[in-house]
Structures are given as C-alpha cells and as structure tokens.
Amino acid sequence: MSFMSRAYGHPGTENSGPRAANRYDRAMMSGGPHRVAVLALPAVIPLELGIAAEIFGRDPHYRLSVCAEGRSASLPGSGLTVNTPAGLEGLKRADTLIIPGYEEADATVSTAVLDAIRAAHARGARLVSICTAAFALAAAGVLDDRPATTHWRWTAELQGRYPKIDVLPNRLFVDDGDILTSAGVTTGIDLCLHVVRRDFGSAAANTRARGLVAPPQRQGGQAQFIERLMPDASGDQLGPLRDWMLENLALPLDLGTLARRAHMSRRTLSRRFREETGVSPMAWLADARIDRAREILETTTEPVENIGRLTGLGAPVSVRAAFHRRIGISPKEYRAVWRGSSTSATATATVRHSPPDPNLGLSGPETIEDTGHTMPAG
C-alpha cells in the first residue's frame, strides 16, 4: 500500500512529524485489521465519541475497542455512563489511539492516562485528538514543537498553557504524520474520514462518508466557523468609540475621523486601540464590517448587491474581495452555507479565520481592492 501524501500538515515543513512515516508504516504493515482504541475520558462529549465509534467500528478494515480509565466514563448533561470491558490496558496494542474531546478543556487528566498516551506514542502508535482532547496530548508532552489545533474557543488557551506547541487556530484539522488533531465536534468526522482515506484510499473513505451522509472531504487547511472576526477587547477606555463605530459602519470612516471622535492624535489612538484589542483601529473596523455583513447574510434576504452600502464595504467587487480575503468564500456562498440554499455548490465551505490585514484600512468604501485571489471552499 502506498503511503498517501499528507497535504494538510504544517506549512513550511515536511508534511509529517519526526519519523512519523516509518513509525506508522510499521503499524500498518503488521497484518490483520488495524487496531483502533478510542479513549473515553471523564465528561467525554457524546457526539465525538460516537463519531469515532461509528466510523471505525463499522469499517471492516479496522478493529475497534472503546477504553476508559476504570472502565467507565461519564457523559455530561445526560446522566449516562459509558461502561466498557477495556481499561487503559486496552491501549497497549492499539495501532491508532483516538481521544474524543471532553467537556472542560482545563480538566485535569490523570497521571495514568498521560502515561498511557506517552507509552502509545513511544511505541509508534498514531495519536488522534478531536476538539479539546488536544489538551490531553499537550499535557502528555507529545505535542511539543509540533503543529496542532483545537476548537476555536480554546486555541488561545492551548497556546498560552503550552507555548512549545505551534497552535494553528485556522484549521479544521492538522495532520502531522503520527499525530493528528482536529477542531470542534463535527470536524472529527472530517479528520476520521481523512484517516480512512490516508490508510485505505478514497474509495474506502467515500463509502464511510456515504453511510454518514457527510461530505466525503473537507481539506484540513480550511478554517473553522467562528462567531465573529473582531477580537475581544481587554480594556474599556475606547469602548464608547468602538460602540460608535459599530453604529456607523456605513459611513466612510478613516483614522482621522476616529481620532477626532476620541479626542486623540492618530498615533495615540492607534497605540491605545492596539493595546485594548490587539489590532489597529482600521483592521478592527474592517472585521466589524465583515461581521455585520455576515449577520445580514445569515439572518435576512437582503440582496448581496446592497451589503456594501449597508456595511461600508463598498461596491460589490470590494465586498467579494473582502469576503474572499477574510472568509475564504464569496458572500453568496456564505449565505448558502448558513441559510441552506441549494444554489451553491460549496455548501460545506468553512470560514477562513486569517489574521487581520493591517493594510485593509477601509478609509472609504472603495479601499479594498479585488486581488483576484480566492480560497477554495472545499
């Protein structure tokens, strides 16, 4: 079996982790069904546990076992408990260890579990985390100096607690060879199907996708849906100005106008605004306008041609350029994703959460240029 190219790894490096191909290939060539252990930690998220069990438990290429420390794990909010005949000893022969996410990312993972994860990694097992389970891998130390992702709500927390990890917040999943991590909940489907595709080819993955009535493939490099692009503010001094900006997005605002409104020089405003939000006033304004456009597209039938006038993004070509730059798809495609329209062939596209463009000043409605660069919606 040829080892499929891992095109979703960390840009600028080889598409696999250290010695990953050799370590994993040894497991794949062991003969017999590929052994997959799903580790249910306390307060495991039921859907994520079910995703792994459904995809690998029904595929004849794999032999699935569900494991839990003490042979049981609670399911949050349901009053139910997972009981399994396999404890942590069930991880010892697994070729792939999958850890679904759990309710609280800051929950303490037991020493026994962390030791079991380290031991599995040391003997060459492939490690896969869904959502918050990246924190378990991080606590075990196996993500140090490697790229990884998790649910967008927790990416900053993961980076802050484990600075040695190269956290990629704008990915559905990251394939780093022998360690794979994914974002929240349903991206676990994307990652598990990617694993099947990597192991046994597209036909096998497509068969599982049809059974799930799921998109057969969403590229890991696509980004996660997020609530908004605007960063949270850590200070309140310029809060009234930001509120005023939100109320007047349709106006042709520029830095001078904002500075006069705040009774500050441009330089002082830029410095204090960045201190409170982490971005410049004009970058914040650009994202605020796109967020407002997203809200209109999600909740109304307002023609796309009017979006620029209502939000200050300008002419339709400028609106499309802004969406392609920050969201990764066109306004029409974005509406189709959120309103269930069948007119778009890209209804599985995801939001491109790229860093704010400091040059996206939006001093007037025609500031954004259509560069012609678009991002495939997948």
Side-chain angles (χ1 to χ4, degrees):
M1 183 195 71
S2 63
F3 192 66
M4 298 180 64
S5 173
R6 290 178 285 276
Y8 317 114
H10 185 240
T13 68
E14 295 182 0
N15 290 323
S16 64
R19 302 180 302 281
N22 291 337
R23 291 153 59 89
Y24 175 62
D25 282 345
R26 288 199 302 271
M28 287 301 293
M29 295 173 65
S30 61
H34 185 85
R35 297 181 295 269
V36 174
V38 179
L39 175 59
L41 296 178
V44 62
I45 297 173
L47 178 56
E48 297 181 10
L49 176 63
I51 286 170
E54 176 71 17
I55 290 178
F56 295 101
R58 293 179 178 270
D59 192 311
H61 297 101
Y62 299 95
R63 179 178 298 160
L64 177 76
S65 63
V66 177
C67 308
E69 185 178 15
R71 301 187 178 183
S72 69
S74 60
L75 299 177
S78 66
L80 302 176
T81 301
V82 174
N83 293 312
T84 173
L88 294 181
E89 69 279 0
L91 309 183
K92 294 180 179 179
R93 298 183 65 248
D95 301 314
T96 294
L97 168 59
I98 300 176
I99 311 178
Y102 40 90
E103 190 74 1
E104 297 295 336
D106 56 357
T108 300
V109 180
S110 74
T111 300
V113 167
L114 296 180
D115 287 343
I117 293 173
R118 295 186 193 104
H121 181 247
R123 63 176 174 76
R126 178 174 55 184
L127 306 182
V128 178
S129 72
I130 303 175
C131 194
T132 52
F135 282 82
L137 298 184
V142 298
L143 290 181
D144 288 356
D145 303 315
R146 303 184 71 156
T149 195
T150 188
H151 191 290
W152 61 265
R153 289 183 184 275
W154 296 102
T155 51
E157 178 73 11
L158 182 64
Q159 188 68 85
R161 287 171 59 180
Y162 302 99
K164 290 184 178 181
I165 302 174
D166 183 10
V167 178
L168 305 178
N170 60 339
R171 299 293 187 91
L172 291 183
F173 60 82
V174 174
D175 179 343
D176 195 43
D178 58 342
I179 300 182
L180 300 89
T181 55
S182 74
V185 192
T186 57
T187 59
I189 298 177
D190 300 305
L191 180 54
C192 289
L193 289 177
H194 169 71
V195 167
V196 176
R197 182 175 297 104
R198 210 180 87 173
D199 292 350
F200 298 105
S202 295
N206 292 344
T207 297
R208 299 303 308 125
R210 291 189 191 98
L212 296 167
V213 195
Q217 186 170 11
R218 291 196 295 173
Q219 305 294 358
Q222 290 183 4
Q224 306 177 34
F225 281 118
I226 62 173
E227 290 182 351
R228 62 179 187 174
L229 297 174
M230 291 181 299
D232 293 327
S234 60
D236 297 328
Q237 180 182 4
L238 295 176
L241 176 65
R242 290 190 293 272
D243 291 341
W244 182 85
M245 293 164 68
L246 291 175
E247 294 170 1
N248 294 276
L249 293 176
L251 298 179
L253 304 177
D254 58 24
L255 186 59
T257 300
L258 299 179
R260 287 191 295 272
R261 181 80 188 181
H263 305 291
M264 298 177 182
S265 69
R266 296 185 180 190
R267 177 172 297 186
T268 300
L269 173 63
S270 296
R271 175 173 55 81
R272 292 186 180 177
F273 204 99
R274 190 176 294 276
E275 288 173 353
E276 291 192 11
T277 67
V279 298
S280 72
M282 303 315 294
W284 191 92
L285 176 62
D287 281 348
R289 284 171 162 160
I290 296 174
D291 280 340
R292 179 63 55 81
R294 291 168 60 197
E295 180 183 353
I296 295 171
L297 291 169
E298 292 174 21
T299 61
T300 77
T301 57
E302 188 74 39
V304 173
E305 291 73 17
N306 295 345
I307 298 295
R309 175 178 57 81
L310 296 171
T311 63
L313 287 173
V317 65
S318 298
V319 178
R320 288 192 295 272
F323 263 71
H324 278 302
R325 188 175 303 184
R326 290 292 278 128
I327 308 299
I329 53 178
S330 71
K332 182 178 180 180
E333 292 165 338
Y334 185 86
R335 171 170 275 165
V337 170
W338 286 97
R339 295 182 65 84
S341 170
S342 61
T343 61
S344 170
T346 56
T348 61
T350 53
V351 173
R352 178 175 171 81
H353 184 198
S354 56
D357 186 342
N359 297 318
L360 205 59
L362 294 182
S363 58
E366 299 294 331
T367 299
I368 303 176
E369 298 179 356
D370 188 348
T371 62
H373 174 72
T374 62
M375 194 72 174

